[in-house]
């Protein structure tokens, strides 16, 4: 073997060792930009998500064995709920809908909807208790024998960019939306209205699979407001009470671009401005475009639907891997067949940032997590009324919302390996 061939072989082995150890190799440094968006709780699609999850909660508050598949649509002066529910709970669906609308802040027609006067349509098909039991086959079935409620593939993602181990772009976008709601509801900026959208672009240094946030490139906020609010004052107030308290100052500079209500006046919002439907904001609900998504929405579904429960569980796995220092970034995928308890496949990818090989980390996952459909629901304590609060500003962590023990999938598991 020539000296040149020997050097090439040694370099290849060194590169392989660096990848396994999580050490960035001398790969080309790139500066890239990535953008994530979010919408406020008054956005029509988010209103629909919150109504659907409020109904899930109302059922679980009385009957933890409820099976819920509730959809919501909304438009000018109406909200309609529909779908199939099997439960022993006695729920006043109209009251739940109106209370949810009220909590969001739609309490006058000029805001886009009035919880007191809007039409509420109930097209929920309430199955009999006997049919519900047949769907589950038997109440005597052990949790480990319960099959998945449907087929599908679900993903979880985590990254060490933020303390909550979420992508920075998404955490900031959802955090800005959350902060907009806080200052609207606590009286700091009372002329704001419920509807709104946010968007954040971040510049990253990229070396292979390693990502390092450098700066915030652009912030976009479009918020509904009272007609008395001048655009000039609105921009000043949002900078002072929304952007500055939330965006870390070291990420802002004199080149950061701000687009605040770039279309101008935004007084018509909520269902008066656009129709809304459950499940149309699945990227906002998850990772803001990072990682991957299996396509199934979360809101309105009880946790027997693996679209929801397994996606939460995959987030728990990915976050536990990153929290344990096994990787800087991680994506996890599982898949199921309807009626089959065990997953069909489990996949782990650390984007080359792992301190062990992906195959070794996969074995750690298999030895620390029970991915059977009935077991993951119980391990994360999902049979409780805790879903409405997931339905706005992300089902996972963001930089503004306080930590909540009900988000059990956000508490990393201590891994044994």
């Amino acid at each position: 073997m020539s000296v040149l061939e020997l050097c090439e072989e040694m370099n290849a082995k060194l590169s392989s060792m660096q990848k396994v150890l999580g050490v960035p190799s001398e790969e080309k440094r790139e500066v890239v930009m990535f953008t994530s968006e979010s919408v406020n709780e008054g956005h029509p699609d988010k209103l629909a998500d919150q109504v659907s999850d409020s109904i899930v909660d109302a059922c679980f508050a009385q009957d933890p064995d409820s099976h819920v598949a509730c959809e919501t649509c909304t438009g000018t002066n109406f909200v309609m709920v529909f779908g199939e529910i099997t439960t022993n709970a006695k729920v006043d669906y109209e009251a739940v809908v109106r209370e949810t609308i009220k909590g969001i802040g739609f309490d006058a027609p000029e805001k886009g909807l009035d919880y007191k006067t809007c039409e509420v349509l109930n097209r929920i098909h309430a199955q009999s208790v006997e049919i519900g039991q047949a769907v589950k086959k038997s109440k005597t079935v052990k949790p480990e024998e319960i099959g998945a409620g449907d087929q599908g593939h679900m993903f979880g993602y985590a990254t060490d960019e933020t303390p909550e181990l979420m992508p920075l772009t998404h955490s900031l976008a959802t955090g800005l939306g959350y902060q907009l709601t806080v200052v609207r509801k606590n009286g700091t900026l009372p002329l704001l209205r419920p509807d709104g959208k946010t968007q954040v672009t971040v510049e990253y240094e990229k070396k292979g699979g390693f990502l390092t946030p450098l700066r915030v490139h652009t912030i976009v906020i479009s918020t509904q407001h009272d007609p008395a609010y001048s655009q000039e004052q609105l921009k000043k107030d949002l900078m002072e009470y929304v952007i500055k308290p939330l965006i870390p100052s070291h990420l802002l500079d004199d080149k950061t671009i701000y687009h605040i209500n770039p279309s101008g006046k935004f007084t018509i919002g909520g269902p008066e401005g656009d129709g809304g439907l459950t499940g149309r904001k699945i990227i906002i609900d998850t990772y803001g475009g990072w990682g991957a998504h299996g396509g199934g929405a979360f809101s309105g579904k009880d946790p027997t639907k693996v679209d929801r429960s397994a996606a939460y569980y995959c987030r728990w796995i990915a976050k536990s891997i990153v929290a344990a220092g096994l990787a800087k970034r991680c994506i996890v995928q599982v898949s199921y067949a309807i009626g089959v308890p065990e997953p069909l496949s489990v996949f782990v990818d650390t984007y080359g940032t792992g301190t062990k090989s992906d195959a070794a980390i996969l074995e750690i996952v298999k030895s620390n997590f029970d991915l059977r459909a009935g077991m993951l629901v119980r391990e994360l304590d999902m049979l409780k009324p805790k879903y409405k609060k997931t339905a706005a500003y992300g089902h996972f962590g963001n930089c503004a919302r306080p930590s909540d023990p009900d988000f059990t999938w956000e508490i990393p598991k201590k891994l044994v390996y």
Side-chain angles (χ1 to χ4, degrees), residues 31-105:
V31 175
V32 299
M33 290 195 290
F34 197 92
T35 301
S36 297
E37 70 156 346
S38 185
V39 297
N40 288 8
E41 62 186 50
H43 186 282
D45 292 334
K46 276 290 133 198
L47 184 154
D49 285 342
Q50 290 167 92
V51 167
S52 290
D53 271 342
S54 292
I55 288 175
V56 174
D57 284 355
C59 292
F60 270 102
Q62 299 179 44
D63 179 12
D65 198 42
S66 297
H67 290 249
V68 184
C70 179
E71 309 294 343
T72 302
C73 64
T74 182
T76 301
N77 200 39
F78 83 90
V79 175
M80 181 172 74
V81 290
F82 57 102
E84 295 184 348
I85 295 178
T86 304
T87 185
N88 286 319
K90 305 299 181 185
V91 178
D92 184 341
Y93 294 112
E94 181 175 341
V96 172
V97 172
R98 292 192 187 279
E99 188 62 29
T100 304
I101 299 168
K102 178 183 178 182
I104 293 169

Side-chain angles (χ1 to χ4, degrees), residues 195-252:
D195 199 355
K197 304 180 80 170
T198 56
Q199 185 170 287
V200 176
T201 301
V202 170
E203 282 186 8
Y204 288 88
E205 178 188 75
K206 184 176 185 292
K207 280 188 175 183
F210 292 84
L211 290 170
T212 304
L214 300 176
R215 58 183 292 272
V216 171
H217 180 277
T218 304
I219 295 172
V220 182
I221 300 178
S222 294
T223 181
Q224 187 189 10
H225 59 88
D226 187 284
Y229 218 160
S230 72
Q231 294 301 302
E232 181 181 4
Q233 187 61 47
L234 175 66
K235 291 177 182 179
K236 289 180 180 177
D237 287 346
L238 294 192
M239 284 294 298
E240 184 67 24
Y241 298 107
V242 177
I243 294 172
K244 287 182 179 179
L246 192 93
I247 308 294
S249 59
H250 71 277
L251 294 175
L252 300 174

